[in-house]
Amino acid sequence: MNLILYILIFIIGMLFGSFYTLAVYRIPKRQDIVHTHSYCPNCNHKLGFLDLIPIISYVVLKGKCRYCKNKIRPRYLILEMLSGLLFVAMSLVMDFRLETLTITKIIEFCFMILYITFIILMAGIDKENRKMDKLVSVYGIVISIMYMVYLCIVEQANIYRYGIYLILYIIVLIFDTITLKKYAKNSYVIGILWMIITMIIFTGEYITSNAIICTLLAISFYLLLHKIKERKRKNKKTEKQIANHLSIGFFLGTFNILMLLLVLFVTNYQRI
């Protein structure tokens, strides 16, 4: 019976993965992600039901649009598969089984899905556009406040601890407002701060700090490799120019999810 449960979770994950690809493409363009029908970005033809079945449609159509025959980027297939696997992995490390299923565990799992959605959208948009999207940040803040209220009321968590995070949100919001008025644009650094605070609320200080350390190491390694390559080129880029193209949010989100899975796995293994 648990196998059927995990298959169902995998299918749900794939459906979310299909939504993530749509949202990562449309949100930066400020296009509707709920009511507007899915369409091919090349020929703008509306896609039918058979064109939207996660993974299966891509395989059957051989990675091409049914109407214009233009190639579909493999990232759609990859993200759908990874999303399904991520949902299953999260359910396994959270000990999400029929024998141990409770309302509390279901609520916690639903919150983690909402959080994963936030991380994937932030990381995906940053990877594609090098941008920390403010609308997604607002979504992260809303689910964070909901989660803090749930923890404080239902699980009797330390209200003062989460009160500090709420104050941090307010401080960053003030700085964001000042920056927006002064420069009339979104600040990438402030977006990163929004993301880090949300990460701390959902995954804790330990996981978040390790994700930040891994991100710094990955960026340092990337800059080192880029510097080695630049020595062979005539038109060399400065470190500042290279850094301006680094998707920090993508690295943060990726390492945060990996660290979360690792810590939950170790915790459950020790219980066993």
Side-chain angles (χ1 to χ4, degrees):
M1 290 298 291
N2 283 321
L3 179 60
I4 297 175
L5 175 64
Y6 295 138
I7 291 173
L8 179 62
I9 291 173
F10 180 76
I11 292 172
I12 292 172
M14 287 194 304
L15 293 172
F16 268 83
S18 181
F19 166 75
Y20 295 152
T21 57
L22 177 147
V24 167
Y25 175 79
R26 292 189 185 183
I27 289 176
K29 299 177 182 294
R30 293 296 180 260
Q31 296 180 1
D32 181 72
I33 62 172
V34 178
H35 302 101
T36 304
H37 201 280
S38 296
Y39 60 89
C40 171
N42 183 60
C43 65
N44 294 322
H45 195 288
K46 287 185 178 180
L47 302 179
F49 174 76
L50 295 177
D51 304 317
L52 298 172
I53 303 174
I55 299 178
I56 296 175
S57 294
Y58 188 94
V59 175
V60 171
L61 295 173
K62 297 179 180 179
K64 295 181 181 179
C65 172
R66 184 191 300 273
Y67 310 99
C68 66
K69 305 303 179 183
N70 196 57
K71 284 188 176 181
I72 302 171
R73 294 175 65 179
R75 74 165 190 174
Y76 294 100
L77 174 66
I78 294 170
L79 189 55
E80 287 171 357
M81 291 182 66
L82 287 178
S83 180
L85 292 172
L86 177 59
F87 274 48
V88 173
M90 189 62 69
S91 65
L92 287 171
V93 296
M94 291 181 68
D95 196 29
F96 201 75
R97 294 177 291 126
L98 290 174
E99 308 91 74
T100 60
L101 215 55
T102 61
I103 294 177
T104 301
K105 190 162 284 189
I106 292 172
I107 293 173
E108 289 177 353
F109 185 69
C110 289
F111 268 119
M112 289 314 300
I113 289 177
L114 293 175
Y115 174 68
I116 288 171
T117 299
F118 164 75
I119 288 293
I120 291 178
L121 293 183
M122 287 295 281
I125 291 173
D126 189 37
K127 182 69 170 61
E128 293 295 313
N129 303 277
R130 215 272 172 173
K131 174 185 179 182
M132 303 303 290
D133 194 90
K134 185 162 287 187
L135 289 179
V136 182
S137 294
V138 171
Y139 162 74
I141 294 169
V142 171
I143 62 171
S144 295
I145 294 173
M146 290 169 57
Y147 188 56
M148 287 189 289
V149 171
Y150 164 77
L151 290 175
C152 292
I153 295 177
V154 179
E155 298 194 3
Q156 302 297 312
N158 189 334
I159 192 170
Y160 298 106
R161 177 181 178 231
Y162 293 105
I164 292 172
Y165 298 144
L166 193 59
I167 292 171
L168 287 175
Y169 268 141
I170 294 171
I171 292 172
V172 176
L173 177 62
I174 292 171
F175 275 110
D176 190 25
T177 305
I178 293 171
T179 303
L180 190 63
K181 285 183 178 180
K182 189 174 182 180
Y183 300 105
K185 64 179 181 179
N186 293 336
S187 171
Y188 188 81
V189 175
I190 289 175
I192 292 293
L193 291 176
W194 286 122
M195 187 175 183
I196 290 174
I197 298 171
T198 306
M199 286 165 55
I200 293 173
I201 292 171
F202 275 94
T203 62
E205 294 86 353
Y206 177 77
I207 292 175
T208 303
S209 59
N210 278 280
I212 293 172
I213 291 170
C214 290
T215 296
L216 293 174
L217 290 173
I219 290 173
S220 300
F221 184 68
Y222 175 84
L223 291 174
L224 179 62
L225 286 179
H226 209 284
K227 197 170 184 179
I228 293 171
K229 289 181 180 179
E230 284 295 312
R231 287 181 179 178
K232 300 177 182 179
R233 299 177 181 177
K234 292 181 179 180
N235 298 323
K236 295 183 179 180
K237 294 181 180 179
T238 63
E239 289 187 4
K240 187 176 181 180
Q241 288 175 318
I242 298 169
N244 286 336
H245 289 86
L246 277 172
S247 300
I248 300 173
F250 171 76
F251 285 108
L252 270 175
T254 302
F255 285 118
N256 179 251
I257 294 298
L258 291 175
M259 287 301 302
L260 175 61
L261 290 173
L262 178 61
V263 170
L264 287 175
F265 172 77
V266 172
T267 303
N268 283 329
Y269 179 78
Q270 288 175 345
R271 286 176 183 173
I272 296 172

